[in-house]
Amino acid sequence: MRPTAEEKWFQAVAILIVGLLSLSILYPFVHLISVSFSTPTEAIRPGFHLYPREISLEAYRKTFDSRQIWIGFGNTAFRTAVGTALSLLFMALTAYPLSKRDLPHRTFYTMVFLFTMFFQGGLIPTYLLVKQLGLLDSRLVFLVAPPFLISTFSLLIMRNFFASIPAELEDAARIDGAGDLRTLFSIVLPLSKPILATVGLWSAVGHWNSWFDGMLYIQDSSKMLLQTYLRRLVVENRDQDVQALMDQMIGVQDVIPETVKAAALIVTVVPIVALYPFLQKYFVQGVMIGSLKG
C-alpha cells in the first residue's frame, strides 16, 4: 500500500528531527577532531572547526609520548576486559535460575534485586564498605565495587531472554545427563549471543567511561584510570603528571594545551566506538527479545 500524505509528512518530520539530533551529536566530535589535527594558530581560531586548514600531528605525538596516558590506557583496558567478562559471568549465573518459573520464591528473589534499582546505600556507606574490605588503592575495586559487577537492569533483561529459550532444548540436555551448569554453558549461553553482546556492550561502555570511582578509591598514579587522568588534564589541570606534560609544551611551536586535550579526548573515545560495528547486529535483537519476552 502506498503511504498516505499524512504518513509522508510524518516520515519527513521524523527524518528531519533525527537528522538534527544526529548533527548535534556529531558536532563536538567533528570539532575536536579538527582541533586535534590543527596547528596552534588554527586551533585558537574562534568558531566551528569543520576541518583542519593547517594540519599538524604534533598533538598526537605529545599525547602518545605521555607515560601516564599509556598507564591509564592499560588500567582502563584491563578493567574493561576483565570487568565485562566477570559481569557477564555473574549475571548469567544469577539470571539463569531466576528465569525458571519453578524456582522456589522466585518472585521474592527478583524483588530483592529490583529493590536495589530504586534504593541504594549511598556514597559514604559504599566508600566505608570498600575501605573495610581492603580494596582502596587496588585494581580489584574496579571489578567488584557496585554497580559494575551486577547491573540489576541488565540482569532482568538477561533473565527475560533466558526465559524465552524453549524449555524442550534444556529438557533434552538433561535427558542426556547434563546438569544445570552444563546446560547453561553448553545450551543456553550459545543461544544467547544477542543478549550477551548487548549486555556486554553496556558493561564495557560503563567500565570504559567510568572516572569517578577511580578518583574516589585510587591514589596511586600507577593504578590511575585513563578517564580519571583525562579529567585532570581537561578540567582540573592540576595533577603533577599533567603539569609535567604541559611544561613540556613550553617553547614548542606546534603544540598548545588545547590541541593536546583534543587529541587525548579522541584517543580515549575511538577504542570503545570501534566496538559498535561488530556488536550492532546483535544489539537491537538482544534488547527487543530481552525486554519483551519472559
Side-chain angles (χ1 to χ4, degrees):
M1 296 179 61
R2 294 183 179 181
T4 63
E6 291 79 3
E7 291 175 341
K8 291 181 179 179
W9 275 107
F10 176 81
Q11 292 178 356
V13 173
I15 292 173
L16 177 62
I17 294 175
V18 173
L20 292 176
L21 290 175
S22 300
L23 289 176
S24 67
I25 295 172
L26 289 175
Y27 165 79
F29 290 102
V30 173
H31 180 79
L32 282 175
I33 292 174
S34 178
V35 171
S36 66
F37 283 104
S38 298
T39 60
T41 303
E42 171 64 16
I44 62 176
R45 177 178 59 85
F48 174 63
H49 293 243
L50 182 61
Y51 61 91
R53 299 178 182 178
E54 300 175 359
I55 298 178
S56 173
L57 301 177
E58 193 66 23
Y60 284 94
R61 189 182 70 83
K62 282 292 182 183
T63 300
F64 289 119
D65 284 345
S66 172
R67 175 176 173 269
Q68 191 62 46
I69 285 286
W70 288 106
I71 292 176
F73 193 92
N75 291 330
T76 302
F78 167 80
R79 170 186 182 165
T80 302
V82 179
T84 301
L86 288 177
S87 295
L88 289 176
L89 175 62
F90 278 87
M91 281 191 286
L93 292 174
T94 307
Y96 181 63
L98 289 177
S99 67
K100 303 305 173 186
R101 298 185 181 276
D102 57 351
L103 175 70
H105 311 295
R106 173 175 178 259
T107 303
F108 171 77
Y109 294 134
T110 302
M111 292 303 299
V112 169
F113 282 99
L114 189 63
F115 181 85
T116 63
M117 290 184 62
F118 305 100
F119 303 97
Q120 301 178 5
L123 179 61
I124 295 178
T126 302
Y127 181 86
L128 294 176
L129 175 62
V130 170
K131 182 179 180 181
Q132 291 176 358
L133 293 175
L135 296 178
L136 292 181
D137 248 358
S138 171
R139 293 184 180 89
L140 190 61
V141 71
F142 301 136
L143 307 178
V144 300
F148 290 105
L149 187 60
I150 291 182
S151 168
T152 304
F153 178 77
S154 300
L155 174 66
L156 296 178
I157 294 292
M158 188 177 292
R159 186 205 70 161
N160 293 344
F161 189 96
F162 289 165
S164 68
I165 297 177
E168 292 78 8
L169 295 175
E170 300 179 42
D171 293 339
R174 291 190 178 91
I175 292 175
D176 292 337
D180 290 332
L181 287 178
R182 181 65 182 272
T183 302
L184 173 63
F185 286 100
S186 299
I187 303 298
V188 177
L189 292 185
L191 296 175
S192 304
K193 291 180 180 179
I195 197 63
L196 293 177
T198 302
V199 173
L201 182 61
W202 290 342
S203 179
V205 171
H207 278 292
W208 186 270
N209 290 335
S210 179
W211 62 270
F212 183 71
D213 51 353
M215 182 186 70
L216 189 64
Y217 302 129
I218 300 298
Q219 299 296 327
D220 188 354
S221 59
S222 65
K223 301 174 183 176
M224 185 182 299
L225 296 174
L226 180 61
Q227 305 299 342
T228 305
Y229 176 76
L230 183 64
R231 183 181 185 277
R232 294 184 177 183
L233 175 66
V234 176
V235 179
E236 301 178 10
N237 204 18
R238 63 173 177 81
D239 184 75
Q240 294 181 355
D241 295 315
V242 174
Q243 191 60 46
L245 178 61
M246 294 301 179
D247 292 341
Q248 295 175 6
M249 301 177 190
I250 299 177
V252 181
Q253 298 180 353
D254 294 335
V255 173
I256 58 174
E258 285 72 15
T259 58
V260 174
K261 292 177 181 180
L265 285 168
I266 296 300
V267 167
T268 59
V269 168
V270 167
I272 198 66
V273 171
L275 287 177
Y276 279 92
F278 300 100
L279 301 178
Q280 183 179 7
K281 63 180 180 179
Y282 299 110
F283 188 79
V284 176
Q285 181 182 358
V287 173
M288 293 301 295
I289 297 179
S291 60
L292 296 179
K293 292 189 177 182

